[in-house]
Amino acid sequence: MATVNKHPQSWGRYPIAKSSQVVPVYWRDELPNLAAFEQSILPYGYGRSYGDSCLNDGGVSVDVSHLRNFIAFDDETGVIRCEAGVSLADILEVAVPRGWFLPTSPGTKFVSVGGAIANDVHGKNHHSAGTFGCHVTQFELLRSNGEHLICSPEQNSELFRATIGGLGLTGMVIWAEFRLKKIVNPYIDMESIRFDSLDEFFELSAESDQKFDYSVSWVDLLIGGPGLCRGKFSRGNHNQDPALAQKPLKAKKLPLTVPIDFPSFVLNSYTVKAFNEAYYRVQIDKYVKKTESYEPFFYPLDAIHNWNRIYGKRGFFQYQFVVPFEHGREALNKSITHIQKAGEGSFLTVLKQFGDVKSPGMLSFPRPGITLALDFSNHGERTQKFLRELDQIVEDNGGVIYPAKDARMSAESFKKFYPQWQEFEQYIDPKFSSSFWRRVTQGTDSNIPLYI
Amino acid sequence: MKVAIIGASSALAHETAKFFARDGADLFLVGRSADKLAVVADDLKVRGAHSAETFVLDVNELDRHEELLQQTVATLGGLDIILVAHGTLGDQRKSELSVAETLQELNTNAISVISLLTLSANYLEQQKRGCIAVISSVAGDRGRPSNYVYGTAKAAVTTFLQGLRGRLAKSGVVVVTIKPGSVATPMTAHMKQGLLFAQPKAVGEGIYEAIKKGKDVAYVPGYWRVVMLIIKSIPEGLFKRLPL
Ligand SMILES: Cc1cc2nc3c(=O)[nH]c(=O)nc-3n(C[C@H](O)[C@H](O)[C@H](O)COP(=O)(O)OP(=O)(O)OC[C@H]3O[C@@H](n4cnc5c(N)ncnc54)[C@H](O)[C@@H]3O)c2cc1C
Ligand SMILES: NC(=O)c1ccc[n+]([C@@H]2O[C@H](COP(=O)([O-])OP(=O)(O)OC[C@H]3O[C@@H](n4cnc5c(N)ncnc54)[C@H](OP(=O)(O)O)[C@@H]3O)[C@@H](O)[C@H]2O)c1
């Protein structure tokens, strides 16, 4: 049964793609016959990927977001099994009151378990816990030939590895099982420290990643001068006081919603500068320490629904790379200087060190090193050119770009970043494809009109 | 809390049941597909239901309704709330061309409901407490060319509930008529969804609140009360020419 309703979009709202058909799946026992589709197929979760990895222009999008049932949860061991469309928000709702937490979480809880696996997502605890895929014990994969395969480190282990970080190309995950993390209460002991140079960031990181499970920094790159950047370093651990387990969390405020597309002039380098200034200044003391509930610590952005609309109709680019530690300083020096020169304002810039916990994922993005995530309004060719130059810096420093946040890297770059792509390709389901995959392997699908 | 749900695999029923599960309720889930009921039961158990038992029934098997009620009471060890949620939107055009099709729609959406209500009303009336909640629809408020067979069935249910509410008020049994507007569920997946379409989770919460508060008539989301007030006030002479 096709629906006329949901047109898959990605969070960056660029590029615009049109699926030939959107097929919602509601029940595990009423799965679509994938073999019957003439066009290529791609599962779609909540569209929280930024670029085109969740899009399938001209093909079939199978909307998995309604496959949203829990299957089993063992309170004793923390092992949970659920359908692929269950969101991380659903899991927190069920798990937190019983003393369990996500093993790791991206910066939004509105992602599906299927999406978390397909992009092998990482969070603020990458240095201590690795990626989401590190905690997956098994899942069921539906292939277009009708096979239902249980994949785990022991069973169909190659498909297990290929599907984690496999960009939805190896088949449709129906359900997955993974391990949660034990907590004493829903509170986080957090510290926020203002820093005024890149060097200071490195010092804080080195000191924090031993002692804190979670760490991440918000940075302002538009200050100029020798310090290169300033920002706020945020770190935290789960609070261990059993007494707080009874303390009710503050009643949730209704989320704000951005109801319309902002006109494109709203976000420019001046407003970004002003925002960054305000955000930096709002913390008056250099060092702040408090115990707060997990939501504002992990998901500050989730408090504003559809915040992607502030970038207007043309959408925006996210850009995240990781470079090995030994090239960290040089790569950051160069890229920050490049951004400053171009005067491109990035609104939500995030800097973090990844650790060396190895993921089973074949094509996973995270690896030991420094990662920087940026976003840029879409000004058409000007932005594209600027980002190509950034690609070069990443490449020269042995780094890679995150597919979940990419809408534009060239096939040439992708193949350099992910030389294992050919090994991976043999596990792709013959009927599955995506706009992203066609672009980065064949260089096609890139002639999508720019909105200027 | 002992809650029976008829049509438990319905998206709206399931969303409502999640709230009862969080309260740790004992649930008795009735529907025609054993597989779907098992999926829903597992989900509700993880979400906190104290128990979730299932019973397979096509609601049009009227002669099994008595057995259903007995099983419900035996399994739950009593009954506090019965939520009747099953329904089919049907194909209006097909109904226009076929009496059998029309009757089938009326059977599923009205007759089966009335049968279930008759039996459970008597049980709760004797017990002198409890709640009957039924998902009717705004479609029953006024007949429209696009879905008047469905609307007729829902109107019958709404009227039946009005009368029943008066009767059971004396015994302390609450009767809640739930009138959702358009909701994005499998039932409406094929329709073009405009601005007024609500999400099932929000509607499930609205239904749960209405039951908890023992409301008489609940439009969910609430703005449908106003929408329907306007729709109902349009003179028939004009209304019949509107493309609704
Ligand atoms: C505010 C915000 C913050 C973010 N922060 C982070 C972060 O800190 N770290 C991080 O790693 N990511 C982050 N992301 C990106 C996000 O976590 C990933 O893009 C995630 O994969 C999105 O999941 P989704 O359910 O929306 O999937 P979609 O975006 O809809 O799809 C993503 C991929 O998953 C595949 N897929 C979905 N369901 C299935 C299934 N059932 N079977 C097989 N394949 C499937 C799709 O085909 C597609 O390839 C962030 C995104 C936002 C919007
Ligand atoms: N969605 C809306 O916009 C809307 C608006 C107003 C009112 N409603 C009403 O809300 C209720 C729930 O609908 P929904 O939107 O949640 O749709 P849904 O998910 O399609 O649910 C309908 C349910 O009714 C069950 N059912 C149908 N015929 C049955 C039969 N003969 N015996 C047993 N069960 C039967 C179906 O079972 P199977 O799964 O086995 O088919 C399904 O679980 C219905 O009464 C509907 O009329 C819906």
Side-chain angles (χ1 to χ4, degrees):
Chain A
M1 179 181 38
T3 155
V4 287
N5 293 302
K6 196 159 141 189
H7 280 299
Q9 251 198 353
S10 78
W11 196 247
R13 302 167 86 209
Y14 174 88
I16 306 291
K18 201 156 166 61
S19 306
S20 62
Q21 243 191 106
V22 183
V23 180
V25 187
Y26 291 104
W27 299 97
R28 290 206 297 280
D29 64 332
E30 286 178 6
L31 296 169
N33 175 8
L34 300 180
F37 294 120
E38 277 170 21
Q39 295 99 346
S40 70
I41 303 164
L42 187 73
Y44 181 74
Y46 291 94
R48 253 55 179 200
S49 304
Y50 286 87
D52 53 0
S53 66
C54 61
L55 302 178
N56 191 15
D57 198 38
V60 178
S61 283
V62 180
D63 178 0
V64 199
S65 67
H66 305 286
L67 265 188
R68 213 165 169 168
N69 291 293
F70 286 102
I71 300 170
F73 175 36
D74 185 335
D75 266 0
E76 298 289 308
T77 60
V79 172
I80 193 158
R81 187 188 289 202
C82 63
E83 292 175 352
V86 167
S87 72
L88 300 190
D90 294 334
I91 294 169
L92 289 166
E93 213 176 285
V94 160
V96 169
R98 285 180 232 176
W100 293 96
F101 204 76
L102 293 167
T104 185
S105 171
T108 172
K109 59 182 172 167
F110 301 124
V111 307
S112 66
V113 166
I117 291 175
N119 279 322
D120 197 14
V121 300
H122 58 270
K124 294 181 180 197
N125 59 349
H126 184 272
H127 62 278
S128 57
T131 60
F132 193 83
C134 297
H135 306 273
V136 174
T137 47
Q138 54 170 332
F139 51 78
E140 180 182 331
L141 193 67
L142 173 66
R143 303 272 290 183
S144 64
N145 61 7
E147 268 182 321
H148 286 253
L149 301 172
I150 302 292
C151 303
S152 72
E154 293 80 35
Q155 210 177 340
N156 295 308
S157 59
E158 292 300 291
L159 261 178
F160 179 77
R161 289 184 52 232
T163 302
I164 292 175
L167 303 168
L169 297 167
T170 60
M172 193 172 123
V173 176
I174 306 297
W175 58 259
E177 184 187 86
F178 49 96
R179 272 186 232 97
L180 298 177
K181 165 181 179 162
K182 187 96 196 120
I183 52 171
V184 177
N185 63 50
Y187 291 87
I188 300 286
D189 292 326
M190 71 86 78
E191 298 177 10
S192 172
I193 303 153
R194 262 180 15 193
F195 60 87
D196 293 289
S197 69
L198 188 59
D199 286 338
E200 214 183 320
F201 163 81
F202 280 116
E203 280 161 29
L204 280 165
S205 242
E207 162 205 332
S208 308
D209 288 1
Q210 308 294 326
K211 288 183 287 186
F212 292 86
D213 282 347
Y214 302 101
S215 82
V216 74
S217 292
W218 164 84
V219 282
D220 177 0
L221 302 180
L222 292 182
I223 55 163
L228 282 172
C229 66
R230 63 177 174 181
K232 286 194 249 183
F233 193 101
S234 140
R235 58 193 191 186
N237 282 318
H238 288 279
N239 179 283
Q240 300 296 327
D241 180 1
L244 278 185
Q246 311 312 327
K247 184 176 161 193
L249 293 169
K250 270 197 216 130
K252 267 191 220 148
K253 282 190 225 128
L254 279 180
L256 299 171
T257 294
V258 178
I260 51 155
D261 295 335
F262 278 21
S264 55
F265 59 81
V266 173
L267 270 201
N268 54 47
S269 57
Y270 299 102
T271 48
V272 170
K273 261 188 188 154
F275 167 83
N276 283 343
E277 177 71 22
Y279 192 77
Y280 177 81
R281 296 275 166 219
V282 93
Q283 178 174 325
I284 295 161
D285 298 319
K286 185 164 175 68
Y287 175 87
V288 170
K289 184 175 175 177
K290 62 181 173 192
T291 299
E292 66 177 359
S293 78
Y294 70 87
E295 297 235 17
F297 182 75
F298 287 103
Y299 309 113
L301 280 173
D302 286 350
I304 309 170
H305 281 182
N306 296 336
W307 60 261
N308 51 349
R309 286 182 158 177
I310 62 173
Y311 290 91
K313 268 210 182 69
R314 301 175 306 195
F316 65 105
F317 294 104
Q318 264 270 336
Y319 191 93
Q320 183 171 359
F321 66 79
V322 55
V323 286
F325 288 117
E326 59 270 26
H327 294 291
R329 270 169 212 270
E330 185 181 340
L332 285 172
N333 256 318
K334 286 207 168 131
S335 49
I336 294 172
T337 314
H338 178 59
I339 293 162
Q340 286 171 352
K341 264 206 212 123
E344 295 283 352
S346 166
F347 193 34
L348 299 162
T349 310
V350 170
L351 190 57
K352 161 153 189 70
Q353 293 200 1
F354 281 155
D356 56 7
V357 184
K358 200 160 163 38
S359 163
M362 211 174 266
L363 212 60
S364 296
F365 158 74
R367 59 204 67 194
I370 317 282
T371 184
L372 181 67
L374 306 141
D375 57 70
F376 301 104
S377 292
N378 176 12
H379 299 293
E381 179 51 27
R382 178 186 118 193
T383 319
Q384 296 265 6
K385 176 167 176 286
F386 159 75
L387 292 175
R388 279 195 299 271
E389 289 156 3
L390 212 47
D391 291 347
Q392 196 57 52
I393 299 176
V394 173
E395 212 178 297
D396 292 345
N397 287 285
V400 301
I401 289 173
Y402 190 8
K405 300 190 172 178
D406 179 70
R408 28 113 352 242
M409 76 171 118
S410 69
E412 205 189 346
S413 301
F414 175 77
K415 289 174 183 171
K416 276 193 205 140
F417 292 147
Y418 296 90
Q420 70 276 38
W421 73 276
Q422 273 166 316
E423 182 203 350
F424 168 76
E425 208 167 32
Q426 59 183 306
Y427 301 103
I428 295 183
D429 185 295
K431 291 218 71 157
F432 279 48
S433 181
S434 68
S435 291
F436 175 86
W437 194 250
R438 290 186 291 273
R439 175 167 62 79
V440 299
T441 56
Q442 301 153 20
T444 53
D445 255 42
S446 58
N447 52 351
I448 294 149
L450 289 174
Y451 283 76
I452 316 228
Chain B
M1 208 170 359
K2 305 176 199 310
V3 186
I5 303 180
I6 321 297
S9 58
S10 118
L12 293 185
H14 189 176
E15 290 300 334
T16 309
K18 288 177 187 175
F19 289 91
F20 286 114
R22 213 179 50 182
D23 292 345
D26 290 293
L27 301 171
F28 192 70
L29 308 172
V30 184
R32 60 180 163 178
S33 154
D35 286 344
K36 288 183 187 173
L37 289 177
V39 167
V40 173
D42 284 346
D43 179 65
L44 294 171
K45 277 188 262 184
V46 172
R47 288 177 190 275
H50 180 252
S51 66
E53 300 295 332
T54 63
F55 186 90
V56 179
L57 173 80
D58 184 316
V59 290
N60 287 324
E61 296 174 61
L62 300 184
D63 52 0
R64 289 187 62 206
H65 285 194
E66 187 69 61
E67 175 201 344
L68 166 68
L69 185 67
Q70 281 169 12
Q71 269 297 328
T72 307
V73 173
T75 309
L76 289 175
L79 180 63
D80 299 318
I81 298 169
I82 175 167
L83 170 64
V84 182
H86 67 268
T88 49
L89 188 51
D91 182 332
Q92 168 68 25
R93 187 68 195 138
K94 270 197 196 154
S95 292
E96 288 166 15
L97 300 174
S98 150
V99 175
E101 188 77 23
T102 301
L103 293 180
Q104 174 70 16
E105 286 306 303
L106 295 179
N107 280 333
T108 306
N109 291 305
I111 303 300
S112 72
V113 179
I114 288 170
S115 160
L116 287 164
L117 294 182
T118 303
L119 297 175
S120 47
N122 292 340
Y123 175 81
L124 294 175
E125 189 176 39
Q126 280 196 351
Q127 174 177 292
K128 293 204 181 314
R129 59 172 188 85
C131 171
I132 294 177
V134 182
I135 309 189
S136 183
S137 171
V138 294
D141 281 13
R142 192 156 191 183
R144 289 182 289 135
S146 58
N147 66 0
Y148 64 84
V149 175
Y150 174 76
T152 300
K154 292 297 190 186
V157 168
T158 299
T159 307
F160 189 91
L161 290 169
Q162 273 172 347
L164 192 63
R165 180 175 303 116
R167 173 185 144 203
L168 295 184
K170 296 181 204 67
S171 337
V173 176
V174 177
V175 175
V176 185
T177 308
I178 297 148
K179 295 184 182 177
S182 308
V183 196
T185 68
M187 186 178 268
T188 55
H190 60 288
M191 287 160 61
K192 188 123 193 96
Q193 305 193 345
L195 266 183
L196 284 181
F197 263 80
Q199 289 307 311
K201 184 171 182 181
V203 174
E205 184 167 14
I207 295 174
Y208 169 79
E209 293 293 336
I211 294 173
K212 280 270 157 166
K213 291 186 185 135
K215 283 193 184 165
D216 295 329
V217 179
Y219 285 84
V220 251
Y223 53 74
W224 278 94
R225 187 179 291 276
V226 182
V227 174
M228 293 320 291
L229 205 66
I230 297 168
I231 299 259
K232 281 190 287 189
S233 68
I234 300 172
E236 195 69 10
L238 174 60
F239 194 73
K240 71 181 178 199
R241 270 171 279 164
L242 295 180
L244 290 166

